[in-house]
Amino acid sequence: MKKVFVEGPISSAFIAEKIIAHQSKTDIGAHSLFLGQVRADKIEDKEVTAIEYTAYEEMANPIFHEIRESVFAKFEITCMHIYHSLGVVKKGEICLFVFVSAPRRKVVFDALEFTVEEIKLKVPVFGKEILEDHSHTWKKNS
Amino acid sequence: MKKVFVEGPISSAFIAEKIIAHQSKTDIGAHSLFLGQVRADKIEDKEVTAIEYTAYEEMANPIFHEIRESVFAKFEITCMHIYHSLGVVKKGEICLFVFVSAPRRKVVFDALEFTVEEIKLKVPVFGKEILEDHSHTWKKNS
Amino acid sequence: MAKLLYFGQVAEIANRHSEELPIEEMSIADFRIWLERKIPELTFVSYQISANQQLHCEAFMLTNDMEIAILPPFAGG
Amino acid sequence: MAKLLYFGQVAEIANRHSEELPIEEMSIADFRIWLERKIPELTFVSYQISANQQLHCEAFMLTNDMEIAILPPFAGG
């Protein structure tokens, strides 16, 4: 099973590395990438400064695997990768990176959206929103 | 008017730089990126080794600007960037980079697809496909 | 012995991340009643229950050998 | 004088990238006939014609002060 969870934020250097790794796959003509970035939302006038992610990893990993399988079944893609942060990710930093590649562009947009929506809906990941006064709330996906 | 055309391939370092530049915009929660990569297609048994791009720049630049304006009018996005190569881009290298950012994820998938389709349809860019025996054909978008 | 796991806001409310204890065979629906008697503050939050890393319908029977997790709303991405 | 610009496959076929020459006022449709008489090989390829950096319908009138471009199929991305 492919490793999805990474400790802390996803760096732009990591993303660049993954792009480079696909340049030898010359049957690929199109990549689509999704990056989830921690937003400095205001919650009752207090700014979110970070999200601390936890996950039920033993349940989450098989679900990521099922999502991958279903994306390959539905769309003619060459490869896909999912990376999700655990631990603290500060505002402006990246917590989710989905990378879809295919010979032709038409499928990569829908495959990307489907994957992101499935992750949001099905994967047991939890997010503690740390506010500027060190209080916190709990993030819920909508 | 924003500069779209860049000489030669778009490097992963350039892409990483653009991602970093958006991390201070903490009202952004989602980015979608499209990367067009030169595919080593077989044309009558000869492999494409590179595409040499030319453009009618005086016409292309205002069209890129119009596409930007229409994407901002249609979708609630925070910012968008388009970069397209001119000159020789080898197989496996990146020739088109579209970068869309928004507070929330829902719009970024459709905004990305719309932008890429508009570019393919409307912008006067021409591609000479260089084959392994140094002969060439002319690329047409479908 | 069943293994109970608590996550996110549920772990915060229950003030624990896991515990092992014997449970009687019961449906997920009945387990909710049992759990909310044990930790009344859970009455006020929504949560899902997984058994052996999978979600099931409310009629699914939980047994004493299972890993049972109490999961607050998902917040991935 | 009109300025004619040729791009991509059209430049290759016409063996030139640009030229300046006087043209009579005529529609784009008539310009195609004029052009294909001048460069017969263009009869076998598809191309669009822009005037002053914009595409127009076939009835649009071209005049002697315009920048006219002959554009083969687009291949961006």
Side-chain angles (χ1 to χ4, degrees), chain C residues 1-17:
Chain C
M1 297 285 263
K3 187 171 185 186
L4 267 56
L5 300 175
Y6 301 82
F7 288 93
Q9 187 177 20
V10 165
E12 183 178 61
I13 289 170
N15 197 28
R16 75 202 78 179
H17 285 94

Side-chain angles (χ1 to χ4, degrees), chain D residues 54-68:
Chain D
Q54 297 210 309
L55 295 176
H56 300 275
C57 66
E58 290 290 299
F60 181 86
M61 294 305 285
L62 299 173
T63 58
N64 201 30
D65 56 347
M66 289 181 173
E67 180 174 290
I68 300 164

Side-chain angles (χ1 to χ4, degrees), chain A residues 53 56 84 125 136 138-139 141, chain C residues 12 53 67 69 72 74-77:
Chain A
Y53 286 102
Y56 182 10
H84 197 297
V125 169
H136 68 264
W138 291 92
K139 179 172 180 272
N141 281 342
Chain C
E12 183 178 61
Q53 298 89 45
E67 181 174 290
F74 298 169

Side-chain angles (χ1 to χ4, degrees), chain C:
Chain C
M1 297 285 263
K3 187 171 185 186
L4 267 56
L5 300 175
Y6 301 82
F7 288 93
Q9 187 177 20
V10 165
E12 183 178 61
I13 289 170
N15 197 28
R16 75 202 78 179
H17 285 94
S18 69
E19 61 188 331
E20 299 209 10
L21 79 190
I23 63 158
E24 283 172 48
E25 187 167 333
M26 60 179 135
S27 69
I28 287 183
D30 287 341
F31 179 82
R32 285 180 185 274
I33 295 167
W34 175 85
L35 184 71
E36 292 177 16
R37 204 164 292 154
K38 185 170 137 77
I39 307 166
E41 297 86 346
L42 286 180
T43 314
F44 308 108
V45 297
S46 23
Y47 57 87
Q48 292 182 285
I49 289 163
S50 69
N52 292 346
Q53 298 89 45
Q54 298 210 309
L55 294 175
H56 301 275
C57 66
E58 290 289 299
F60 181 85
M61 295 305 286
L62 300 174
T63 58
N64 200 30
D65 57 346
M66 287 179 173
E67 181 174 290
I68 300 164
I70 301 104
L71 306 168
F74 298 169

